[in-house]
């Protein structure tokens, strides 16, 4: 199968079977861009915001899907409801920890107050269920629920050569040194298909883990683009307890989103498909 790799200073990609896959990477936003983005979104933005980075897939039929940080952050809940739900579910663990830290290190009082203050105005975890921006030129190329189109797992397990692979960070925040919230994209293109993973990974130390995954799959030669979304969540304590005893006190697995994902129970999932035919 013929294909053409695309590579320049900031862009990597591939042209294959009428598709163009592009991953653009540049530096974090500068201060002026940060101020503008924060004003537009109405919330403080993450510490590391790669607002100009993107992953895009485009087909000659006019179908186009793009993944960027700012549209994802636009979906962060700014009402009190989301933050209150988190506080109700985990308040005792969270504030017990804050109280313990304060008693041990009174000098950290300002940091603890900061954490309490930021919970109410917006979801301080930056949780987003963003699953891409559809920029297709035809209305019929929007995603709709499906029960017939699926991601072919067996095909993805075959040892086919990988023609193109890339990872891209869209944003990351250390949650005032109390965990991490990160949104990333991964893409791999094989001779028979491509798969994209957009992952939001949240770890709040001693509180919870949460993952929202969006997978985009297309088998070349077909007209369907499949989008599968899932949400997984569990308490930090439950996931930490699943670390193999052979690891002892090594907690590095808790930093591995793939391992954490394999341990988290699925809360919800849904599958959609878009048609490349006009």
């Amino acid at each position: 199968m013929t294909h053409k790799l695309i590579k320049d200073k900031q862009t990597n990609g591939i042209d294959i079977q009428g598709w163009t896959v592009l991953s653009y990477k540049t530096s974090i936003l500068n201060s002026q861009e940060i101020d503008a983005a924060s004003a537009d979104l109405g919330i403080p933005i993450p510490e590391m915001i790669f607002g100009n980075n993107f992953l895009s897939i485009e087909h000659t039929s006019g179908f186009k899907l793009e993944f960027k940080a700012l549209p994802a952050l636009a979906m962060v809940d700014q009402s009190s409801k989301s933050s209150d739900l988190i506080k109700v579910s985990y308040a005792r663990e969270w504030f017990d920890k804050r109280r313990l830290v304060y008693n041990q290190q009174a000098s950290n009082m300002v940091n603890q107050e900061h954490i309490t203050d930021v919970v109410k105005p917006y979801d301080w975890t930056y949780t987003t269920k963003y699953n891409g921006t559809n920029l297709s030129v035809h209305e019929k190329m929007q995603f709709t629920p499906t029960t017939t189109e699926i991601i072919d797992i067996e095909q993805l397990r075959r040892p086919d050569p990988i023609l193109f692979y890339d990872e891209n960070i869209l944003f990351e925040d250390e949650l005032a040194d109390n965990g991490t919230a990160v949104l990333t994209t991964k893409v791999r293109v094989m001779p028979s298909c491509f798969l994209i993973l957009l992952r939001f990974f949240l770890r709040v130390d001693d509180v919870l883990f949460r993952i929202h995954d969006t997978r985009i799959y297309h088998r070349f030669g077909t007209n369907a683009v499949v989008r599968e979304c899932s949400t997984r969540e569990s308490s930090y304590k439950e996931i930490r307890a699943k670390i193999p005893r052979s690891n002892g006190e090594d907690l590095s697995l808790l930093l591995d989103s793939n391992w954490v994902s394999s341990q988290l129970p699925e809360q919800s999932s849904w599958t959609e498909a878009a048609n490349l035919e006009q």
Side-chain angles (χ1 to χ4, degrees), residues 146-173:
T146 180
T147 57
T148 57
E149 299 292 347
I150 61 172
I151 295 178
D152 190 339
I153 301 300
E154 293 305 315
Q155 182 184 40
L156 294 173
R157 287 174 176 169
R158 293 187 337 207
D160 293 344
I162 297 177
L163 304 178
F164 175 72
Y165 176 83
D166 192 80
E167 298 184 36
N168 204 334
I169 298 175
L170 301 183
F171 72 73
E172 185 171 2
D173 193 283

Side-chain angles (χ1 to χ4, degrees), residues 39-146:
D40 288 343
L41 294 170
I43 61 174
I45 60 177
E47 297 165 329
M48 295 179 62
I49 173 73
F50 297 89
N52 295 315
N53 285 14
F54 68 83
L55 172 68
S56 70
I57 55 172
E58 186 170 7
H59 190 257
T60 52
S61 64
F63 178 86
K64 183 175 182 179
L65 194 61
E66 186 177 73
F67 304 91
K68 298 189 73 174
L70 297 185
L73 290 170
M75 296 184 67
V76 171
D77 195 336
Q78 297 186 44
S79 70
S80 61
K81 183 178 180 181
S82 177
S83 295
D84 287 346
L85 287 173
I86 296 174
K87 288 169 68 178
V88 167
S89 299
Y90 302 100
R92 181 165 298 178
E93 294 175 73
W94 179 263
F95 287 105
D96 281 352
K97 182 187 178 188
R98 302 279 70 74
R99 190 178 299 110
L100 178 62
V101 172
Y102 172 70
N103 290 337
Q104 291 177 339
Q105 293 182 300
S107 61
N108 285 344
M109 181 176 177
V110 173
N111 290 335
Q112 311 317 315
E113 290 180 342
H114 170 71
I115 294 171
T116 304
D117 290 343
V118 300
V119 171
K120 292 183 179 179
Y122 67 100
D123 183 354
W124 57 275
T125 69
Y126 294 107
T127 294
T128 176
K129 291 187 176 181
Y130 174 69
N131 52 24
T133 305
N134 196 326
L135 302 174
S136 302
V137 298
H138 304 291
E139 291 185 5
K140 292 183 179 180
M141 293 179 174
Q142 300 299 312
F143 286 94
T144 57
T146 180

